[in-house]
Amino acid sequence: NAGVTQTPKFQVLKTGQSMTLQCAQDMNHEYMSWYRQDPGMGLRLIHYSVGAGITDQGEVPNGYNVSRSTTEDFPLRLLSAAPSQTSVYFCASSDDSYTEAFFGQGTRLTVV
Amino acid sequence: AQSVTQPDIHITVSEGASLELRCNYSYGATPYLFWYVQSPGQGLQLLLKYFSGDTLVQGIKGFEAEFKRSQSSFNLRKPSVHWSDAAEYFCAVGARTGKLIFGQGTTLQVKP
């Protein structure tokens, strides 16, 4: 059972580079979200989607873009990487507003 | 504003001892509450959840939590801790559209 798959697991970027973090789920979930995890701050919501073609900003959206062209995929784009974006990124999906969210294994991103 | 507070950043208990991790929330409507656990280098796994009904909920791995509306709390408990319980624990409240608002996390260390 694949669940929520994130790629890559690790990435090092130089300041100013762009990249896309991939997230795919095979559970036909409508709701998908991106979080970043930083020490002592828990997980903070970057962007979320309630279905294909619908996205919205979370708590910390600056510097990130998302799109949702299919139910399965929810990529996160860093337009111009900054050291402040060094973090662990988690993608999550759920089939309802208030049911369990399933998380991917995370992407550890370092911006130098 | 919606928020979750975990007052204890780090807790150390002896193996076999009881455990209580504290969680306080601020949410305008009826809260949907979750506890997640994260082992080092891993994603998040759901321990238990509260939506309605019985205020004492049972979860996996022998954990339970009690919802106390008067105290805005949802504390996690375990009668006897095992070394494998060492991890980081997150309390979260579920908002609309599949979003989760997380506390800062509590790191549990288990002494042999």
Side-chain angles (χ1 to χ4, degrees):
Chain A
N1 296 334
V4 179
T5 303
Q6 290 183 236
T7 56
K9 288 186 170 52
F10 301 93
Q11 183 71 49
V12 178
L13 286 179
K14 293 183 178 179
T15 298
Q17 286 184 318
S18 63
M19 80 159 294
T20 299
L21 278 62
Q22 302 291 344
C23 176
Q25 53 94 4
D26 62 359
M27 297 172 283
N28 202 34
H29 286 170
E30 289 297 318
Y31 299 92
M32 296 187 74
S33 306
W34 276 102
Y35 298 85
R36 60 176 289 173
Q37 183 180 20
D38 302 292
M41 305 189 74
L43 280 78
R44 293 179 293 168
L45 182 66
I46 304 172
H47 285 284
Y48 64 98
S49 170
V50 299
I54 307 170
T55 64
D56 206 347
Q57 297 180 351
E59 180 184 357
V60 288
N62 291 342
Y64 308 95
N65 273 358
V66 293
S67 60
R68 185 98 179 270
S69 57
T70 66
T71 299
E72 295 77 19
D73 300 300
F74 191 43
L76 178 72
R77 297 181 186 84
L78 281 69
L79 308 174
S80 178
S84 60
Q85 294 179 303
T86 294
S87 187
V88 181
Y89 292 85
F90 287 98
C91 179
S93 74
S94 62
D95 63 2
D96 190 81
S97 293
Y98 302 108
T99 56
E100 174 185 357
F102 292 84
F103 284 82
Q105 292 298 297
T107 296
R108 184 173 295 274
L109 175 68
T110 302
V111 183
V112 298
Chain B
Q2 303 158 354
S3 66
V4 176
T5 301
Q6 294 179 243
D8 304 305
I9 297 173
H10 192 105
I11 283 184
T12 300
V13 299
S14 297
E15 190 168 17
S18 64
L19 171 70
E20 183 170 27
L21 302 182
R22 296 183 291 164
C23 173
N24 294 99
Y25 67 89
S26 173
Y27 191 71
T30 301
Y32 295 78
L33 296 160
F34 306 83
W35 274 100
Y36 283 87
V37 60
Q38 183 184 32
S39 298
Q42 300 297 312
L44 279 73
Q45 180 185 22
L46 181 70
L47 283 176
L48 47 78
K49 60 190 177 188
Y50 171 78
F51 287 169
S52 65
D54 193 347
T55 56
L56 184 64
V57 294
Q58 303 296 321
I60 62 171
K61 305 183 180 186
F63 285 92
E64 66 178 26
E66 186 171 13
F67 170 61
K68 294 185 177 180
R69 184 185 299 274
S70 62
Q71 299 178 18
S72 297
S73 69
F74 188 56
N75 294 348
L76 182 71
R77 302 194 293 248
K78 187 170 185 178
S80 177
V81 170
H82 187 263
W83 64 266
S84 60
D85 293 323
E88 190 161 18
Y89 292 80
F90 292 96
C91 181
V93 63
R96 292 184 298 141
T97 65
K99 296 187 291 184
L100 289 170
I101 300 165
F102 285 89
Q104 300 91 326
T106 298
T107 299
L108 173 65
Q109 183 180 358
V110 180
K111 293 190 303 184

